[in-house]
C-alpha cells in the first residue's frame, strides 16, 4: 500500500512539477538545400502554444521535456520532434511530393493537382528563368511535354514559334492562345511570372473553346502577401559570343587553292577545245599558230593572263566574321516590392533588360513596370487592379553584315592603307567579290530600328454573395504602338543613286475585353460541386501606315516636304468576339472526378450566316490511390490516377475581313484613283474545329517519383484553307472551310528525387512524340509550298523535291532519281539521271521531329546548387539553303565557299567515290539547285543552361542586412551536339529551312539575388 500511495501521489503531482520545468527551446528550420524556411509554424502538440520562424529560419518556444514539437509548412512533410533534454533543435524539412504545386491554374479557375481531370504541364517561374532572355516562349523551350519551341533567328528580342501537340492548321495561324491572370491576351515580363500552365487536352482548353484549338498557355503573375514588406533585387550581367555550329567558310589560302584549281581546269579545257578546232583546218599547228589563233578569238595566251584581275597573286586573309561579329554585353535587372496588410496586398516590379547583339549595330532594350494590387473593401467585396507596361527599342542589322560576312572573299580588305574604312561600290575594280560591298562602310550611316510600347490595365471586382456563390467581373484595356525607321544614307553606295532614302512605318492597336463570371463551390457530404457561368465580349482595333521618300539630306531622320514620295500605304482593321459559357466540375470523395463545359462564340471574322460556333468538352478521372482497397500499396504507390477527355475547340486565327467581298484601292488609272474587286464573299465561312481525345495516367512512387503519360488524338476539321479559284472568277483564291488534319502522339513527364539528405539530386524529364497526317484537302488536290507539298496521306511539312543520288564515279557528275512510268502512268522502276530538269520530284522526308523534349538535373550540397538543363529534337529534316551558295561546286566562284565537313569528299579523278561532284567553274550541271542533297538531319542535343549558385550563410547575409543572398554564374547554349552542317539546326517551324540567319549566342552571366 505505501508503494501504491506513492505512485498515486506522483501521478497527480507530476503535472505541476513538470509544468514548472518548462524552458525556452530555441532552434532553426531549413529545407533540403539548407535554406531557412521563413514563417514555418512550430506548435507544442495537443496545445495552442505556438510560434513561427523568423527571417533567418529561427524560433523560440517554451516547452517541457515531455512535450513534442510539431513543425509544419506548406509543401513540406509535417515533422514531430520530442523535446527531451534538448534546448536547441535544428530541423531539416523534407518536401511533400503530394502537396508541391498543389494549386494549378486551369481555365477560369484553379484546382489542386489531385483534382485535375485534364492534361496540363506546369512550369514554375524559378524553373522558367534559368536561361537569359526576356521572351516567355523562348524560356519555355524544352520544359513542357507536347510543346515545341523553335526560333529562326538569334536576333535579340526576336520571338520564336510555338506549337502545342503539332500543327493542325494550313492557312490559319497555329500559335497557341495566351491567357494572363485569367484574361485572354495581355503581356507579362518573365521576371514577374509566378507559374506557367500549358493546357493541352479538351478538358483543359474547353472553356476557352472558341480560340483554343492550338492549345492555351496560362500565365500567372506574382502577387503580394499580407505581412512584412519584402524587397527583392535580381540582377545579372554577362557577355555573349556568336555560335556558327559546324558551318565554316574558307580562309584566304583555302579559297585560293580551291578556286585556282577550277580556273586551271577551265582554262586548260577551253584552250584544248580551241586547239582542237584549229587542228581541223591546220593539222599539227605550231605554237605560234596556236597563239595567233587564240589571240584572234580573244582568248588569253597564258593561264596568268586568264586569271588576271580574277585571282590575286598573293591571297589576302580578311576574317570577315570578326568584322561582322563582336562580343556582346547583356544586362538584366529587376527590383520588386511586395507585402501589405490583411486588407490590402501589393506587388510592384520594375525590370530593365538590355542585350547588345553579337552582330555589329544590333541591340535590344526593354523596360517593364508592373503593379498588382488587391484590396478587400469589406468581407464580401474585393477589388484587384493590375497594370503592366512595356517599352522596347530594337536595332536591326542595317548593312547585311551577316550575309556579307560569309559571302565576301577573304582576299578583299575592308580598310584603306591609312586604316580608314574603305568605300566600295559597283565601280570598284580592285575588289574580287561579286557584290562589291563593304558592310563596315554602310553600317556607319545606315540604320534599321524599331521602338514599341504596350500597356495592359486590368480592373477586377469580386463579390462573394454567400460562402458558396460569388460574382466577378474583370475588364482589361490594352493599347500598343510600334514605329519603325530604316535609312539608306546618300553617302553609301546604295543610297547615292537615289540621293538617300528613308522609310517610316507606324502602327497602333487597342483591345477591350470584359469577362464576367458567376462561380459556385458547394460541398455536401462526400460530394463537391463547382460551377462557372460566364459571358465575355472583346473588341480589337488596328491601324497602320508606311511611307518611303527619296532625296534625304545625309543624317536626317525625318520625312518632310522636300522628300520625293515613292511608296505609301496604310491599313485599318477591327474584329469583335462575344461568348457565353458554362462549366461544371464534380468530385466524389476525392476519388471520382468529372468536368463538363459548353461554350458558344461569335466572331465578326466569319460569314454572316456562320458567325457563331458551339464548343464543348467532357472529362473524367479516377484516383485509384484514394480507394480503400489500395491502401495496402499506398506506401509504395502514393499516387495512381487515370483520366480521359474529349472535346471540340475552335480556331479563328485568320484575317479580320476574310469572309467579306472587298475592293482594293491602291491603283490609279489615267492619274485618277481607282479600285478593283479583291476578294470574293463567303457567307458560309466559319470556325475551324479541333476534335481532341486524350487518355492519361499519373503515377507516384515512394513519394520520390511522379510520372505522367498522355496519349492524344486531335483531328482538325473544316480547316480554314485558301482555296485557288478558276481564273474565270476574276479572283485568285478564297478562304473556305475545307480539309482535315490529324495529330496523334504521346506526352511524357517524369520528376524524380534521386537522392535526399545532405546531398540532394533531382531530375525533371519530358518527352513529346507527335505524328501528323493530312486527311482531306480541297478536291483532294495537293498544295505546293515551295519545296514542300501538303497532300492527303502525308504530314504537313513534307519535303517534295528532286532526290539526290550522289556522284557518278566515272565523271564526277551529279546524279538524281528518275522515275520511269509506262503509258498508263504506272510506276515501272527507278533510274538515275545527270539532267536536273529531267529528275523526278518525290517525297524526301518531313520537317516534323519524331520526338523532342528536355531534361534537367539539379544537385545541391550545403549552400551550393548546380543545375544543368538540356533540350533535344530528333528525326526532322532541315533544308540547308546556305549550301546552295556555299557548297555550290563552283557555281559562285566570286563568293566564298564552305569547308567540307568531316567525312565529306570531292570527286577529282575517275573511280573516286565521293560525296561531292567535281568542282567546275560556274557550276556542274546545276548540282547546287534545290534537291535532297541539302536536306539534312536536324536532330540536336543542346546544353541550354548550366547554373552554379551559392547561398550566403544566414549570419553573413544578416550582416548585409539581408534575409537571403544568392550569387551565381550561368551559361547559355555552351554546347550543341548535331550532325547538321549549318549554323544551327533550330529553325522556323513554319518553313523547316535554315538560311543565313542571325546565329544564337553563347552567354556567360554573373548574377545575384538579394531579399530584404
Amino acid at each position: 500500500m505505501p508503494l501504491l500511495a506513492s505512485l498515486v501521489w506522483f501521478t497527480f503531482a507530476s503535472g505541476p512539477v513538470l509544468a514548472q520545468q518548462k524552458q525556452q527551446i530555441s532552434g532553426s528550420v531549413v529545407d533540403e538545400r539548407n535554406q531557412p524556411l521563413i514563417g514555418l509554424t512550430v506548435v507544442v502538440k495537443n496545445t495552442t502554444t505556438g510560434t513561427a520562424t523568423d527571417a533567418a529560419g529561427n524560433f523560440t518556444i517554451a516547452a517541457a521535456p515531455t512535450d513534442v514539437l510539431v513543425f509544419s509548412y506548406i509543401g513540406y512533410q509535417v515533422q514531430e520532434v520530442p523535446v527531451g533534454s534538448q534546448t536547441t533543435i535544428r530541423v531539416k524539412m523534407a518536401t511533400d511530393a503530394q502537396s508541391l504545386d498543389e494549386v494549378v491554374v486551369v481555365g477560369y479557375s484553379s484546382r489542386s493537382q489531385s483534382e485535375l481531370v485534364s492534361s496540363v504541364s506546369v512550369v514554375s517561374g524559378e524553373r522558367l528563368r534559368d536561361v537569359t532572355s526576356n521572351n516567355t516562349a523562348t524560356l519555355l523551350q524544352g520544359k513542357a511535354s507536347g510543346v515545341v519551341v523553335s526560333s529562326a533567328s538569334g536576333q535579340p528580342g526576336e520571338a520564336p514559334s510555338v506549337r502545342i501537340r503539332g500543327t493542325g492548321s494550313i492557312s490559319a495561324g497555329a500559335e497557341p492562345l495566351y491567357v494572363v491572370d485569367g484574361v485572354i491576351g495581355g503581356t507579362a515580363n518573365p521576371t514577374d511570372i509566378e507559374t506557367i500552365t500549358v493546357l493541352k487536352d479538351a478538358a483543359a482548353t474547353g472553356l476557352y473553346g472558341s480560340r483554343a484549338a492550338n492549345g492555351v498557355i496560362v500565365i500567372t503573375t506574382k502577387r503580394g502577401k499580407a505581412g512584412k514588406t519584402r524587397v527583392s533585387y535580381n540582377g545579372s550581367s554577362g557577355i555573349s559570343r556568336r555560335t556558327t555550329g559546324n558551318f565554316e567558310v574558307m580562309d584566304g589560302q583555302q579559297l585560293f587553292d580551291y578556286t585556282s584549281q577550277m580556273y586551271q581546269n577551265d582554262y586548260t579545257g577551253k584552250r584544248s577545245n580551241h586547239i582542237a578546232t584549229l587542228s581541223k583546218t591546220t593539222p599539227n599547228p605550231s605554237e605560234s599558230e596556236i597563239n595567233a589563233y587564240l589571240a584572234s578569238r580573244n582568248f588569253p595566251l597564258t593561264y596568268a593572263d586568264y586569271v588576271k584581275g580574277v585571282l590575286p597573286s598573293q591571297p589576302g586573309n580578311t576574317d570577315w566574321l570578326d568584322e561582322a561579329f563582336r562580343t556582346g554585353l547583356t544586362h538584366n535587372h529587376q527590383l520588386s516590392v511586395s507585402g501589405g496588410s490583411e486588407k490590402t496586398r501589393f506587388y510592384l516590379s520594375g525590370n530593365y533588360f538590355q542585350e547588345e547583339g553579337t552582330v555589329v549595330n544590333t541591340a535590344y532594350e526593354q523596360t517593364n513596370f508592373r503593379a498588382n494590387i488587391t484590396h478587400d473593401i469589406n468581407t464580401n467585396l474585393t477589388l484587384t487592379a493590375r497594370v503592366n507596361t512595356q517599352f522596347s527599342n530594337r536595332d536591326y542589322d542595317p548593312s547585311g553584315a551577316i550575309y556579307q560576312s560569309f559571302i565576301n572573299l577573304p582576299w578583299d580588305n575592308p580598310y584603306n592603307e591609312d586604316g580608314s574604312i574603305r568605300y566600295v561600290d559597283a565601280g570598284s575594280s580592285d575588289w574580287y567579290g561579286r557584290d562589291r560591298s563593304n558592310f563596315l562602310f554602310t553600317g556607319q550611316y545606315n540604320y534599321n530600328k524599331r521602338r514599341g510600347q504596350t500597356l495592359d490595365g486590368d480592373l477586377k471586382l469580386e463579390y462573394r454573395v454567400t460562402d458558396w456563390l460569388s460574382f466577378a467581373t474583370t475588364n482589361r484595356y490594352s493599347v500598343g504602338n510600334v514605329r519603325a525607321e530604316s535609312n539608306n544614307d546618300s553617302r553609301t553606295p546604295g543610297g547615292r543613286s537615289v540621293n538617300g532614302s528613308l522609310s517610316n512605318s507606324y502602327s497602333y492597336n487597342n483591345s477591350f475585353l470584359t469577362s464576367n463570371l458567376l462561380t459556385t463551390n458547394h460541398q455536401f457530404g462526400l460530394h463537391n460541386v463547382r460551377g462557372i457561368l460566364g459571358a465575355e465580349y472583346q473588341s480589337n482595333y488596328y491601324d497602320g501606315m508606311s511611307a518611303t521618300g527619296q532625296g534625304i539630306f545625309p543624317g536626317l531622320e525625318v520625312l518632310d516636304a522636300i522628300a520625293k514620295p515613292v511608296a505609301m500605304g496604310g491599313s485599318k482593321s477591327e474584329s469583335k468576339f462575344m461568348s457565353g459559357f458554362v462549366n461544371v466540375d464534380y468530385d466524389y470523395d476525392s476519388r471520382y472526378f468529372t468536368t463538363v463545359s459548353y461554350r458558344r462564340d461569335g466572331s465578326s471574322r466569319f460569314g454572316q450566316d456562320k458567325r457563331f460556333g458551339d464548343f464543348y468538352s467532357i472529362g473524367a478521372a479516377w484516383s485509384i490511390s484514394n480507394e480503400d482497397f489500395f491502401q495496402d500499396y499506398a506506401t509504395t504507390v502514393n499516387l495512381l490516377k487515370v483520366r480521359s477527355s474529349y472535346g471540340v475547340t475552335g480556331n479563328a486565327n485568320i484575317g479580320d475581313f476574310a469572309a467579306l467581298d472587298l475592293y482594293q484601292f491602291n491603283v490609279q488609272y489615267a492619274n485618277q484613283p481607282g479600285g478593283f474587286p479583291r476578294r470574293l464573299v463567303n457567307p458560309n465561312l466559319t470556325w475551324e474545329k479541333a476534335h481532341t481525345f486524350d487518355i492519361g495516367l499519373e503515377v507516384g512512387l515512394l513519394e520520390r517519383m511522379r510520372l505522367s503519360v498522355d496519349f492524344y488524338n486531335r483531328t482538325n476539321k473544316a480547316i480554314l484553307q485558301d482555296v485557288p479559284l478558276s481564273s474565270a472568277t476574276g479572283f485568285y483564291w478564297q478562304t473556305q472551310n475545307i480539309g482535315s488534319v490529324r495529330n496523334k502522339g504521346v506526352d511524357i513527364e517524369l520528376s524524380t528525387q534521386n537522392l535526399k539528405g545532405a546531398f540532394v539530386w533531382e531530375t525533371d524529364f519530358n518527352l513529346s512524340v507527335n505524328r501528323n497526317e493530312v486527311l482531306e484537302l480541297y478536291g483532294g488536290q495537293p498544295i505546293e509550298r515551295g519545296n514542300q507539298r501538303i497532300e492527303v496521306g502525308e504530314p504537313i511539312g513534307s519535303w517534295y523535291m528532286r532526290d539526290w543520288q550522289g556522284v557518278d564515279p566515272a565523271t564526277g557528275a551529279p546524279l538524281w532519281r528518275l522515275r520511269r512510268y509506262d503509258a498508263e502512268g504506272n510506276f515501272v522502276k527507278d533510274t538515275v539521271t545527270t539532267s536536273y530538269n529531267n529528275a523526278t520530284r518525290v517525297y524526301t522526308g518531313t520537317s516534323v521531329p519524331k520526338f523532342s523534349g528536355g531534361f534537367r538535373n539539379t544537385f545541391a550540397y550545403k549552400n551550393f546548387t548546380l543545375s544543368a538543363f538540356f533540350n533535344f529534337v530528333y528525326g526532322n529534316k532541315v533544308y540547308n539553303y546556305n549550301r546552295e551558295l556555299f557548297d555550290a561546286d563552283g557555281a559562285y566562284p566570286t563568293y566564298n565557299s564552305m569547308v567540307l565537313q568531316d567525312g565529306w569528299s570531292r570527286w577529282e579523278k575517275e573511280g573516286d567515290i565521293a560525296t561531292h561532284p567535281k568542282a567546275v567553274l560556274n557550276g556542274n550541271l546545276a548540282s547546287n539547285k534545290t534537291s535532297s542533297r541539302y536536306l539534312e538531319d536536324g536532330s540536336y542535343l543542346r546544353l541550354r543552361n548550366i547554373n552554379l549558385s551559392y547561398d550566403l550563410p544566414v549570419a553573413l547575409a544578416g550582416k548585409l542586412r539581408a534575409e537571403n543572398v544568392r550569387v551565381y554564374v550561368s551559361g547559355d547554349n555552351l554546347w550543341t551536339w548535331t550532325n547538321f552542317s549549318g549554323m544551327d539546326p533550330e529553325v522556323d517551324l513554319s518553313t523547316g529551312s535554315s538560311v543565313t540567319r542571325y546565329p544564337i549566342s553563347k552567354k556567360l552571366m554573373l548574377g545575384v539575388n538579394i531579399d530584404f
Side-chain angles (χ1 to χ4, degrees):
M1 289 298 293
L3 177 60
L4 179 59
S6 298
L7 290 173
V8 172
W9 176 86
F10 179 79
T11 302
F12 284 96
S14 61
V17 170
L18 291 177
Q20 294 173 2
Q21 293 178 348
K22 281 191 175 183
Q23 55 186 330
Q24 291 296 105
I25 307 297
S26 61
S28 62
V29 186
V30 296
D31 62 14
E32 292 175 313
R33 300 179 184 177
N34 294 313
Q35 298 305 304
L37 291 175
I38 304 169
L40 177 141
T41 302
V42 184
V43 177
V44 177
K45 189 174 182 179
N46 299 325
T47 73
T48 58
T49 302
T51 186
T53 55
D54 61 16
N58 300 322
F59 70 93
T60 301
I61 193 171
T66 55
D67 286 337
V68 174
L69 299 184
V70 180
F71 299 81
S72 60
Y73 196 73
I74 295 175
Y76 292 83
Q77 298 175 8
V78 175
Q79 287 201 41
E80 296 186 1
V81 179
V83 175
S85 60
Q86 303 178 89
T87 57
T88 301
I89 297 176
R90 178 178 171 86
V91 177
K92 178 177 285 189
M93 301 291 285
T95 54
D96 184 353
Q98 289 184 318
S99 63
L100 288 176
D101 299 326
E102 184 69 17
V103 177
V104 178
V105 178
V106 290
Y108 290 84
S109 60
S110 58
R111 297 285 182 271
S112 66
Q113 281 195 337
S114 61
E115 298 170 332
L116 282 178
V117 175
S118 51
S119 175
V120 304
S121 293
V122 181
V123 180
S124 68
E126 181 182 359
R127 297 292 196 194
L128 184 75
R129 291 184 292 270
D130 52 0
V131 176
T132 303
S133 174
N134 230 34
N135 183 277
T136 301
T138 299
L139 298 176
L140 193 59
Q141 185 180 44
K143 296 172 183 173
S145 66
V147 182
V148 176
V149 180
S150 190
S151 178
S153 173
Q155 168 80 36
E158 201 74 8
S161 300
V162 181
R163 297 290 183 271
I164 297 179
R165 291 184 168 180
T167 300
S169 297
I170 295 177
S171 298
E175 294 290 317
L177 176 72
Y178 286 84
V179 175
V180 179
D181 289 324
V183 185
I184 292 173
T187 58
N189 190 275
T191 57
D192 296 323
I193 293 177
E194 186 74 32
T195 61
I196 285 183
T197 306
V198 182
L199 312 183
K200 296 180 285 189
D201 71 343
T205 62
L207 213 50
Y208 294 108
S210 59
R211 286 173 281 179
N214 300 320
V216 181
I217 295 177
V218 178
I219 297 173
T220 304
T221 61
K222 297 176 181 178
R223 294 171 291 178
K225 299 177 182 178
K228 176 185 175 182
T229 298
R230 301 191 180 280
V231 179
S232 296
Y233 166 76
N234 299 318
S236 62
S237 296
I239 61 174
S240 55
R241 298 295 303 271
R242 72 172 188 263
T243 62
T244 53
N246 295 324
F247 184 71
E248 180 184 0
V249 291
M250 295 181 180
D251 62 26
Q253 190 62 51
Q254 289 172 321
L255 182 65
F256 183 81
D257 294 341
Y258 172 67
T259 310
S260 295
Q261 186 63 54
M262 284 192 297
Y263 274 98
Q264 182 68 63
N265 293 339
D266 188 68
Y267 175 77
T268 301
K270 289 180 178 178
R271 189 175 190 276
S272 297
N273 290 337
H274 280 301
I275 293 175
T277 302
L278 174 62
S279 298
K280 292 179 181 179
T281 57
T282 308
N284 299 316
S286 65
E287 190 67 25
S288 60
E289 290 175 319
I290 292 175
N291 290 339
Y293 181 80
L294 294 178
S296 68
R297 296 296 184 272
N298 296 318
F299 190 78
L301 301 183
T302 65
Y303 171 73
D305 292 333
Y306 187 67
V307 297
K308 186 176 181 179
V310 178
L311 296 180
S313 57
Q314 294 294 327
N317 195 28
T318 299
D319 191 332
W320 284 102
L321 268 67
D322 279 352
E323 302 293 342
F325 292 89
R326 64 187 175 185
T327 297
L329 299 177
T330 300
H331 303 279
N332 191 10
H333 303 280
Q334 186 215 20
L335 183 66
S336 66
V337 182
S338 64
S341 63
E342 293 298 328
K343 291 181 66 68
T344 305
R345 283 83 64 196
F346 65 89
Y347 172 82
L348 306 175
S349 171
N351 173 255
Y352 175 75
F353 180 90
Q354 190 270 339
E355 182 175 354
E356 187 180 59
T358 56
V359 178
V360 294
N361 299 318
T362 65
Y364 180 72
E365 181 183 47
Q366 179 177 301
T367 305
N368 192 91
F369 298 99
R370 172 172 284 275
N372 290 349
I373 301 173
T374 301
H375 175 68
D376 294 330
I377 300 174
N378 55 47
T379 56
N380 295 324
L381 195 61
T382 299
L383 177 69
T384 300
R386 292 184 288 260
V387 176
N388 185 74
T389 183
Q390 186 180 100
F391 307 90
S392 64
N393 291 286
R394 185 177 303 171
D395 292 332
Y396 294 93
D397 173 20
S399 56
I402 302 174
Y403 176 72
Q404 289 186 37
S405 68
F406 289 108
I407 68 169
N408 280 4
L409 302 185
W411 310 329
D412 293 318
N413 190 343
Y415 298 99
N416 295 312
E417 292 184 1
D418 62 1
S420 60
I421 299 176
R422 185 179 178 186
Y423 177 92
V424 179
D425 62 13
S428 300
S429 58
D430 56 345
W431 191 267
Y432 293 102
R434 189 184 77 170
D435 288 0
R436 288 179 166 78
S437 178
N438 182 3
F439 60 82
L440 294 179
F441 188 90
T442 58
Q444 298 177 108
Y445 306 109
N446 291 349
Y447 60 82
N448 184 357
K449 55 189 178 182
R450 178 178 299 180
R451 74 166 188 256
Q453 297 92 34
T454 63
L455 173 67
D456 298 313
D458 296 358
L459 191 63
K460 178 181 179 181
L461 190 64
E462 183 176 7
Y463 176 61
R464 289 171 288 279
V465 183
T466 68
D467 59 353
W468 56 270
L469 182 66
S470 64
F471 172 78
T473 176
T474 304
N475 302 274
R476 169 177 292 166
Y477 181 77
S478 300
V479 61
N481 64 79
V482 175
R483 180 186 176 98
E485 295 181 354
S486 61
N487 172 58
N488 199 357
D489 196 278
S490 61
R491 288 167 288 187
T492 66
R496 174 174 293 185
S497 60
V498 295
N499 200 20
S501 67
L502 180 65
S503 296
N504 284 349
S505 67
Y506 178 84
S507 65
Y508 166 86
N509 66 84
N510 70 51
S511 70
F512 170 74
L513 187 146
T514 177
S515 178
N516 304 278
L517 307 177
L518 186 66
T519 61
T520 178
N521 188 344
H522 191 59
Q523 186 170 1
F524 48 97
L526 299 178
H527 306 273
N528 190 23
V529 178
R530 302 181 184 89
I532 299 175
L533 180 64
E536 286 183 341
Y537 171 81
Q538 182 179 10
S539 63
N540 305 292
Y541 174 82
Y542 167 88
D543 65 45
M545 62 173 295
S546 62
T548 299
Q550 296 177 349
I552 307 296
F553 193 82
L556 290 187
E557 300 184 4
V558 178
L559 283 174
D560 54 27
I562 300 176
K564 174 186 176 183
V566 294
M568 290 185 294
S571 62
K572 287 187 178 182
S573 183
E574 60 182 323
S575 62
K576 292 178 173 62
F577 292 83
M578 60 184 301
S579 313
F581 51 90
V582 61
N583 170 248
V584 177
D585 289 334
Y586 168 79
D587 78 75
Y588 175 76
D589 194 24
S590 298
R591 290 182 289 163
Y592 311 110
F593 306 86
T594 186
T595 181
V596 178
S597 66
Y598 169 77
R599 181 167 181 139
R600 182 167 175 81
D601 282 274
S603 172
S604 62
R605 291 178 175 173
F606 297 115
Q608 60 182 6
D609 299 332
K610 299 285 187 176
R611 286 181 173 166
F612 284 87
D614 297 298
F615 310 93
Y616 61 89
S617 68
I618 183 170
W622 177 26
S623 184
I624 303 173
S625 53
N626 285 345
E627 294 285 1
D628 292 338
F629 66 79
F630 199 81
Q631 298 313 302
D632 291 341
Y633 310 98
T635 56
T636 302
V637 184
N638 57 283
L639 172 66
L640 181 60
K641 182 166 70 173
V642 293
R643 48 181 168 73
S644 184
S645 66
Y646 177 81
V648 178
T649 51
N651 188 357
N653 291 332
I654 58 174
D656 286 338
F657 307 123
L660 302 181
D661 46 344
L662 300 179
Y663 278 74
Q664 189 161 329
F665 292 90
N666 63 346
V667 295
Q668 289 188 344
Y669 182 76
N671 294 322
Q672 296 296 317
F676 62 94
R678 182 64 180 87
R679 180 173 291 157
L680 191 63
V681 65
N682 184 359
N684 295 314
L685 187 68
T686 190
W687 303 82
E688 176 178 307
K689 293 186 176 182
H691 301 249
T692 304
F693 173 76
D694 184 284
I695 184 168
L697 173 68
E698 295 179 20
V699 180
L701 298 177
L702 302 172
E703 295 189 351
R704 298 181 65 168
M705 185 192 82
R706 181 156 186 157
L707 172 68
S708 175
V709 181
D710 279 89
F711 301 88
Y712 64 88
N713 187 315
R714 186 183 83 217
T715 303
N716 288 50
K717 300 180 180 180
I719 279 183
L720 292 162
Q721 181 182 340
D722 292 337
V723 175
L725 299 178
S726 168
S727 58
T729 66
F731 299 91
Y732 293 107
W733 50 266
Q734 181 186 54
T735 305
Q736 300 179 11
N737 293 100
I738 296 176
S740 178
V741 176
R742 180 177 64 205
N743 285 276
K744 60 182 179 179
V746 182
D747 292 343
I748 300 173
E749 291 188 352
L750 175 66
S751 296
T752 61
Q753 294 179 337
N754 308 310
L755 293 175
K756 292 185 177 182
F759 183 79
V760 177
W761 174 23
E762 298 175 350
T763 300
D764 296 305
F765 172 82
N766 71 83
L767 177 71
S768 306
V769 180
N770 179 268
R771 297 294 180 267
N772 179 284
E773 183 181 358
V774 178
L775 303 179
E776 180 186 352
L777 291 174
Y778 173 72
Q781 302 173 8
I783 301 173
E784 301 290 342
R785 283 189 172 179
N787 297 325
Q788 294 183 352
R789 171 184 274 190
I790 301 174
E791 187 172 11
V792 173
E794 301 291 337
I796 292 178
S798 294
W799 296 107
Y800 191 73
M801 58 183 63
R802 291 167 175 85
D803 191 23
W804 178 257
Q805 294 294 302
V807 180
D808 187 342
T811 64
L815 299 174
W816 294 275
R817 180 191 300 188
L818 175 62
R819 308 204 98 178
R820 300 289 186 180
Y821 298 88
D822 60 22
E824 286 74 33
N826 299 314
F827 171 73
V828 177
K829 64 177 180 178
D830 279 333
T831 58
V832 295
T833 179
T834 58
S835 170
Y836 180 82
N837 291 333
N838 291 338
T840 309
R841 294 179 69 199
V842 296
Y843 286 105
T844 54
T846 174
S847 63
V848 179
K850 292 182 178 178
F851 61 79
S852 61
F855 61 92
R856 178 199 309 276
N857 281 289
T858 303
F859 308 92
Y861 179 71
K862 293 186 177 180
N863 289 16
F864 290 93
T865 302
L866 173 67
S867 69
F869 171 61
F870 294 80
N871 75 296
F872 57 86
V873 169
Y874 176 79
N876 60 315
K877 294 290 186 179
V878 173
Y879 188 78
N880 191 350
Y881 268 112
N882 276 342
R883 291 181 59 191
E884 290 191 7
L885 288 179
F886 301 105
D887 190 18
D889 309 320
Y892 303 100
T894 50
Y895 284 173
N896 205 343
S897 294
M898 67 183 291
V899 177
L900 297 187
Q901 306 287 300
D902 292 341
W904 290 3
S905 60
R906 186 172 299 283
W907 190 94
E908 295 180 355
K909 62 183 183 303
E910 185 177 354
D912 282 352
I913 306 299
T915 58
H916 283 52
K918 177 183 178 181
V920 177
L921 192 65
N922 298 317
N924 187 348
L925 298 176
S927 64
N928 67 313
K929 299 303 180 182
T930 302
S931 75
S932 63
R933 175 187 180 184
Y934 301 141
L935 198 61
E936 301 184 36
D937 182 6
S939 305
Y940 69 88
L941 171 66
R942 173 169 291 156
L943 178 57
R944 195 75 171 89
N945 174 265
I946 187 168
N947 185 295
L948 176 64
S949 65
Y950 175 75
D951 290 271
L952 269 64
V954 174
L956 181 56
K959 291 181 179 180
L960 300 174
R961 298 185 178 182
E963 293 182 357
N964 180 60
V965 178
R966 171 177 290 188
V967 293
Y968 66 88
V969 58
S970 175
D972 294 348
N973 307 317
L974 298 182
W975 174 81
T976 301
W977 177 88
T978 182
N979 290 325
F980 184 68
S981 69
M983 285 187 283
D984 194 345
E986 185 178 331
V987 296
D988 188 336
L989 294 174
S990 60
T991 66
S993 299
S994 176
V995 295
T996 309
R997 55 170 286 172
Y998 196 120
I1000 63 170
S1001 60
K1002 295 180 180 179
K1003 287 186 172 67
L1004 182 65
M1005 306 291 294
L1006 296 175
V1008 60
N1009 301 336
I1010 307 176
D1011 297 322
F1012 298 95

